[in-house]
Amino acid sequence: MTSAVKTTARPSLAQLLLPYWVSEDRYWAWGLLATNLTINFGTVYVSLATIRMVAKTTDAMVARDWPTLWGALGLGLALGMTMAFLAIINYAAQDYLRIRWRTWMTHGFIHQWTVDQRFYGVERDGLLSNADQRMAEDIDVFVQRSLSLSVGTITAVVNAFAFGAVLWSMSGTVEFNLAANHYAIPGYLLYAVILYSLLGMLIAHWMGKPLIALNARKQTVEADFRALGMNLRENAEQIAFYSGGPQEGRRMMRQFREIQLNFVALLIRTCKLSITNVTYFHIGSLVPTALSMPRYLSGAASLGDITQITASFERVHSSLNYFIASYVDFSI
């Protein structure tokens, strides 16, 4: 494969993301991406069918309707097998797209680095540190996370709309009096999950924002430490001749101290964010049951309906909170 990526000192995100999708490999790229998204959308449809099947099974168990129950269980088995089959194809399509994109980018950057002896000028002028390690490691990380986050975001949006429609239709209308005024809110559970998710996003941003700088520093200090070890290995004879081993050892230990300090800071901040998320999601698991219980107690909804409402609420909630669950990945 060949590449037409232009060389820039500090390429923007668009300059890194877009060229592959208009390259000579674009047909493979778009075809594999379309396969990946189609399977994800199909999975959403199967999930909707699964939730309806669970609701039907619940009502059949309450009514002791054995024919309906056995039919629902058979459908559940078929849906489970379908989900497993789709997951395997999805994994293969996304990983094959990942290696093709990584191959294309790696070829392009190797060409840029080696053509006209550019590697010499880069090292001489200090334009880019550890170029070889960046090509060996950072390209793969960039491609993997770009695919994961972009496909995940699209799928989360589709999930939110699909299950949001179910939640709206199943919520009914809540009526209440406040300050001598009567209010009626149709589809109130959908509004509730949106407000609760927005609250979670604000909390996650406040707690997780420092991770952006810490993860950026992690890449730098790790690369600098590897560079010191490589320098020691490549210049072993000269360093040994001047008895510079102890000095180089101290330099490496000082640099590793930076890795240790950054790691501890990352650990503390990640734990704080994790505690916040666990608390938030645990409370969120109780919200749909609490809000839909009046409909069940009044007889407006069956137990199966409540099961479907709760499952739809949780799917919309998890889709809208995809940003929270992926905050660490977005920050790297």
Side-chain angles (χ1 to χ4, degrees):
M1 299 180 187
T2 58
S3 170
V5 180
K6 295 182 179 179
T7 303
T8 57
R10 292 180 180 272
S12 66
L13 182 60
Q15 287 175 311
L16 290 172
L17 282 172
L18 298 181
Y20 175 64
W21 301 94
V22 295
S23 70
E24 69 285 350
D25 202 45
R26 61 186 178 276
Y27 298 112
W28 270 105
W30 288 107
L32 288 167
L33 180 62
T35 301
N36 191 224
L37 290 175
T38 300
I39 291 174
N40 282 334
F41 298 160
T43 301
V44 174
Y45 177 80
V46 174
S47 297
L48 286 169
T50 300
I51 287 179
R52 289 193 292 267
M53 181 272 300
V54 171
K56 189 175 182 180
T57 301
T58 302
D59 284 338
M61 290 180 66
V62 172
R64 292 182 172 84
D65 183 356
W66 293 108
T68 301
L69 181 60
W70 286 115
L73 291 175
L75 177 60
L77 177 62
L79 290 174
M81 293 295 293
T82 301
M83 291 283 282
F85 182 68
L86 290 176
I88 294 171
I89 299 177
N90 194 41
Y91 170 79
Q94 183 161 319
D95 265 28
Y96 188 52
L97 175 56
R98 172 183 171 184
I99 191 59
R100 291 190 72 93
W101 190 359
R102 180 188 179 186
T103 300
W104 186 88
M105 286 192 72
T106 301
H107 285 186
F109 278 101
I110 289 175
H111 174 73
Q112 292 181 42
W113 193 40
T114 57
V115 70
D116 298 329
Q117 318 305 320
R118 286 178 183 168
F119 59 88
Y120 174 71
V122 169
E123 296 298 324
R124 180 194 60 198
D125 301 331
L127 299 177
L128 180 67
S129 62
N130 310 303
D132 57 324
Q133 295 174 37
R134 292 176 185 270
M135 284 186 289
E137 299 176 11
D138 291 359
I139 289 177
D140 185 39
V141 172
F142 171 79
V143 169
Q144 188 272 329
R145 287 191 174 135
S146 295
L147 285 174
S148 176
L149 294 176
S150 58
V151 172
T153 299
I154 294 172
T155 304
V157 171
V158 173
N159 266 289
F161 277 99
F163 288 95
V166 174
L167 192 58
W168 175 275
S169 65
M170 299 289 295
S171 293
T173 301
V174 63
E175 300 184 23
F176 59 93
N177 295 314
L178 181 65
N181 293 315
H182 182 75
Y183 297 93
I185 304 177
Y188 68 99
L189 285 172
L190 182 59
Y191 296 120
V193 72
I194 292 174
L195 291 175
Y196 192 73
S197 298
L198 288 175
L199 174 63
M201 291 179 187
L202 292 174
I203 294 174
H205 179 66
W206 176 60
M207 290 294 297
K209 188 176 180 180
L211 287 172
I212 298 175
L214 289 171
N215 277 303
R217 178 167 172 73
K218 177 179 182 293
Q219 298 295 326
T220 300
V221 295
E222 292 278 6
D224 289 344
F225 179 72
R226 291 194 300 266
L228 288 175
M230 185 181 298
N231 178 70
L232 179 62
R233 188 179 71 250
E234 292 179 347
N235 300 284
E237 183 177 350
Q238 296 93 321
I239 293 172
F241 181 79
Y242 289 103
S243 301
Q247 181 179 353
E248 291 297 318
R250 287 191 293 271
R251 288 180 62 194
M252 292 188 67
M253 286 187 285
R254 283 196 302 269
Q255 185 57 43
F256 187 78
R257 176 63 176 168
E258 295 297 320
I259 295 177
Q260 183 183 25
L261 293 174
N262 193 77
F263 181 88
V264 172
L266 263 172
L267 177 62
I268 293 173
R269 178 54 58 173
T270 302
C271 286
K272 288 180 178 179
L273 180 61
S274 297
I275 291 172
T276 302
N277 285 344
V278 168
T279 303
Y280 169 78
F281 282 108
H282 179 69
I283 295 174
S285 66
L286 303 177
V287 170
T289 302
L291 292 179
S292 60
M293 192 57 63
R295 284 179 54 77
Y296 175 71
L297 295 177
S298 67
S302 68
L303 185 59
D305 292 335
I306 298 302
T307 301
Q308 191 170 353
I309 289 172
T310 302
S312 298
F313 188 101
E314 291 176 351
R315 289 299 294 266
V316 175
H317 179 243
S318 63
S319 298
L320 292 177
N321 284 278
Y322 176 77
F323 174 76
I324 298 175
S326 303
Y327 198 99
V328 174
D329 289 332
F330 274 114
S331 71
I332 297 176

